[in-house]
Amino acid sequence: MSSNPRAPPCDELAIRARASVPACAAARYWVLAVAVLGSTLSYVDESVVNVALPAIEADLRTTLPAMHWVINAYTLCMSALLLVGGAAADRFGRRRMFVIGAGVFAAGSLGCGLSVSVPMLLAARAVSGVGAALLVPCSLALISAAFDEKERGAAIGIWSGAAAIAGGAAPLLGGGLLDHFSWRAIFLVNPLLAIPTLWIALRRVPESRDPDAPPGVDWQGSLLAFAGLGSLVYGLIASAELTWSHPAVVASLVAGMGLLAAFLVAEAHRRAPMMPLGLFRSRTFSGVNLLTLLLYGGLGGGFFFLPFLLIQARGDSATAAGAAYLPFTVVVSLLSRWSGGLIDRFGARWPLIIGPAIAAGGFALLAVSRGPYWSILVPMVVLGLGMAVTIAPLTTAVLNAVPAHRTGVASGINNAVASVGSLLVIAVLGSVALGSMSRSLELRLERAPASPGVRLAVDAARGGFVIPELPASLSGEEQRQARAIIAASIDDTVRRILWIAAALASMSVLSAAFTIPGERRGGARPDGSGPLEKSPAAIFRTSVSLPGRDFGALRSR
């Protein structure tokens, strides 16, 4: 449970699945410092990039599908490599893999900041995703190695609190950098943070490994997952410009599904797979992961498009757009202990029904809110409340759905599912958004008498999701008319996307209702390996902040 509300759900559970190492315990405060800095690198990047998307699209004069790849190039690489990141740390050394991850992530961020073209930016984002797949799970593994069970709760609290501050401040800071400098500045912050991170890791943090780690790392599964997801996402994004029946789109989708089927076959026959398929025999585990896929898919898709509504359609500043995320972050952070108490009183089932339902209501309120700036903030509070009610029970349901010795790998799978959900939904919504935008532009041009110059200016906005630079040959009135038509079309489209996000959250409610049983207090785990948590909320109460999502996909011991 991380305090970054947009990071996957089972990070704290992943930390607790590991045993401490005496050599690391002696330097535990340096370890905690470097883990906080390492996680902050990833959290700042994830929290701030969405706010920069309109500026990037306008500056590079590119299209909405390219902006999908700005997010998905990072998420794809991270999702595919995430499950092997923790395994590689156990096998080859936690500090070594952390340093490699931090260095690669910083190099990718530097490349993003210096990019002068879309291909260069996307390549750098992919490099950052590879770094994050090593950096974040290794940050959590270092905490586990340095702190024993008695001290681990306080360490997690400090780490979570720092993550909360980073996750909450990053969009606001990023908006300020966008308004006063450039979108490039938001990426150049990370290399500066990486300098003290790498210095502490190399000078103060001892190396540690897991002597009982399996002899191999499932690189085959990781490559198949990467190729399958990449091909599938390419087809989904390309369909926006090429249509669904285009041979390239059809071939990409078919190849993606075939590669993912090969991934499942390989995992079923591997002795030490990164994703043990046997865990999905549990109806609860499968249901929780379906809930995660739908809910975090809606969250990722909604948050991808929200800055376009605020900056392009409403005309708010980038700073104001970044500040709009603060109510969501603050509500999730403040309600952690209260959320954990719900599990004690009602079990996981009802919070996992009510929480996503509230989140769906938050998306619906965002979709209908038209008015002053505060009318955006109220739905963000409601959305934050829904996520706060959801995340702690979600982690507890994962904990209790699998054998005790499998909690680490189960949390890793759930975290990967959260990022894959965001990856796929953003790709699908790209095609939906461009089609909706085109229809809205046509409708508004038909309704309003527009000169040929205005029509040409509006047509120039097709394929993108920003208001392009308008020709100087247009009169002031014609420029205002063209700008109003494009802004209104963006507004209409984003609101439709928010309704889709609300529908996905509502579907996650059904997943919980039909697959998650009532709490079996005092009962046994599905395999009889031990009792269920007497107080599921106890795993959260040692933390000073609320659950969120984190990409800490770690293996169990």
Side-chain angles (χ1 to χ4, degrees):
M1 138 185 128
S2 150
S3 15
N4 180 356
R6 286 183 286 170
C10 293
D11 51 353
E12 187 167 320
L13 180 57
I15 296 176
R16 293 176 184 275
R18 295 176 175 263
S20 63
V21 175
C24 293
R28 58 187 179 276
Y29 296 114
W30 286 111
V31 170
L32 181 58
V34 83
V36 166
L37 287 170
S39 297
T40 298
L41 283 172
S42 175
Y43 288 160
V44 168
D45 185 275
E46 290 168 29
S47 299
V48 77
V49 172
N50 281 3
V51 179
L53 291 175
I56 295 173
E57 182 179 339
D59 184 55
L60 296 182
R61 301 178 184 275
T62 187
T63 62
L64 181 63
M67 291 302 96
H68 284 105
W69 278 115
V70 169
I71 298 297
N72 282 348
Y74 175 94
T75 308
L76 172 63
C77 293
M78 184 184 61
S79 301
L81 298 174
L82 188 62
L83 287 171
V84 299
D90 292 340
R91 173 85 175 141
F92 304 114
R94 294 162 181 145
R95 185 186 71 168
R96 174 183 296 175
M97 300 310 295
F98 177 90
V99 168
I100 292 173
V104 170
F105 187 87
S109 295
L110 182 62
C112 291
L114 300 178
S115 295
V116 294
S117 66
V118 172
M120 184 177 177
L121 176 60
L122 298 185
R125 287 290 289 164
V127 171
S128 294
V130 173
L134 298 174
L135 178 64
V136 178
C138 290
S139 297
L140 306 181
L142 287 171
I143 293 178
S144 298
F147 292 87
D148 60 28
E149 292 186 6
K150 293 181 180 179
E151 296 180 312
R152 200 170 290 167
I156 293 170
I158 295 171
W159 173 77
S160 296
I165 294 172
L172 190 59
L173 173 64
L177 291 174
L178 283 167
D179 284 337
H180 298 290
F181 297 98
S182 164
W183 61 266
R184 302 177 192 279
I186 68 171
F187 293 108
L188 297 178
V189 170
N190 286 331
L192 296 177
L193 287 175
I195 294 173
T197 303
L198 290 170
W199 186 88
I200 295 173
L202 291 170
R203 297 291 298 272
R204 301 292 183 180
V205 175
E207 186 59 278
S208 64
R209 294 177 175 83
D210 179 10
D212 300 322
V217 175
D218 189 7
W219 297 113
Q220 179 190 35
S222 181
L223 291 175
L224 284 172
F226 174 81
L229 287 171
S231 182
L232 192 61
V233 168
Y234 173 81
L236 293 172
I237 293 177
S239 67
E241 295 180 311
L242 301 179
T243 74
W244 290 100
S245 60
H246 192 280
V249 173
V250 174
S252 181
L253 294 176
V254 171
M257 290 185 285
L259 287 165
L260 291 176
F263 165 74
L264 294 178
V265 172
E267 294 300 284
H269 291 86
R270 189 174 177 85
R271 292 182 60 186
M274 70 180 193
M275 190 177 78
L277 300 182
L279 295 179
F280 290 93
R281 294 192 186 102
S282 164
R283 191 177 111 179
T284 299
F285 185 74
S286 297
V288 168
N289 279 286
L290 178 59
L291 182 154
T292 301
L293 185 78
L294 294 169
L295 182 60
Y296 282 106
L299 189 70
F303 277 8
F304 175 90
F305 284 96
L306 184 59
F308 291 97
L309 173 67
L310 298 173
I311 297 172
Q312 293 296 312
R314 289 176 50 93
D316 295 326
S317 67
T319 303
Y325 290 95
L326 280 176
F328 175 82
T329 304
V330 169
V331 169
V332 172
S333 299
L334 290 180
L335 295 181
S336 68
R337 293 179 183 271
W338 173 78
S339 172
L342 290 177
I343 311 170
D344 279 337
R345 296 182 60 188
F346 305 108
R349 174 182 167 82
W350 282 107
L352 288 179
I353 291 173
I354 295 172
I358 296 174
F363 281 124
L365 288 174
L366 276 174
V368 300
S369 62
R370 300 179 185 273
Y373 181 73
W374 64 263
S375 67
I376 296 292
L377 304 183
V378 173
M380 293 296 279
V381 170
V382 175
L383 182 56
L385 175 62
M387 294 305 297
V389 171
T390 301
I391 300 171
L394 192 156
T395 306
T396 303
V398 170
L399 176 74
N400 285 336
V402 300
H405 68 283
R406 290 290 200 175
T407 55
V409 70
S411 70
I413 291 171
N414 188 250
N415 290 341
V417 166
S419 58
V420 168
S422 178
L423 175 76
L424 295 177
V425 169
I426 289 175
V428 172
L429 290 182
S431 179
V432 174
L434 285 185
S436 175
M437 176 80 167
S438 181
R439 289 190 297 272
S440 184
L441 290 172
E442 288 289 351
L443 183 61
R444 292 182 181 279
L445 284 173
E446 291 175 1
R447 289 178 177 175
S451 67
V454 170
R455 290 182 175 275
L456 286 175
V458 170
D459 285 338
R462 298 181 190 277
F465 222 63
V466 297
I467 300 174
E469 185 177 349
L470 300 177
S473 59
L474 294 180
S475 67
E477 180 58 33
E478 287 176 322
Q479 289 191 5
R480 283 191 291 273
Q481 184 183 17
R483 188 174 289 108
I485 289 173
I486 298 170
S489 297
I490 293 173
D491 184 277
D492 290 343
T493 299
V494 175
R495 294 184 189 282
R496 292 188 186 106
I497 294 298
L498 291 171
W499 278 116
I500 294 174
L504 289 171
S506 298
M507 291 168 65
S508 73
V509 173
L510 297 178
S511 174
F514 287 108
T515 63
I516 299 175
E519 191 68 30
R520 294 173 292 171
R521 297 183 183 279
R525 293 179 181 275
D527 68 337
S529 61
L532 297 176
E533 295 293 324
K534 293 181 180 179
S535 176
I539 66 171
F540 302 101
R541 287 181 175 165
T542 53
S543 173
V544 298
S545 65
L546 245 209
R549 300 187 314 154
D550 178 65
F551 298 109
L554 305 180
R555 300 165 42 260
S556 67
R557 293 282 178 262

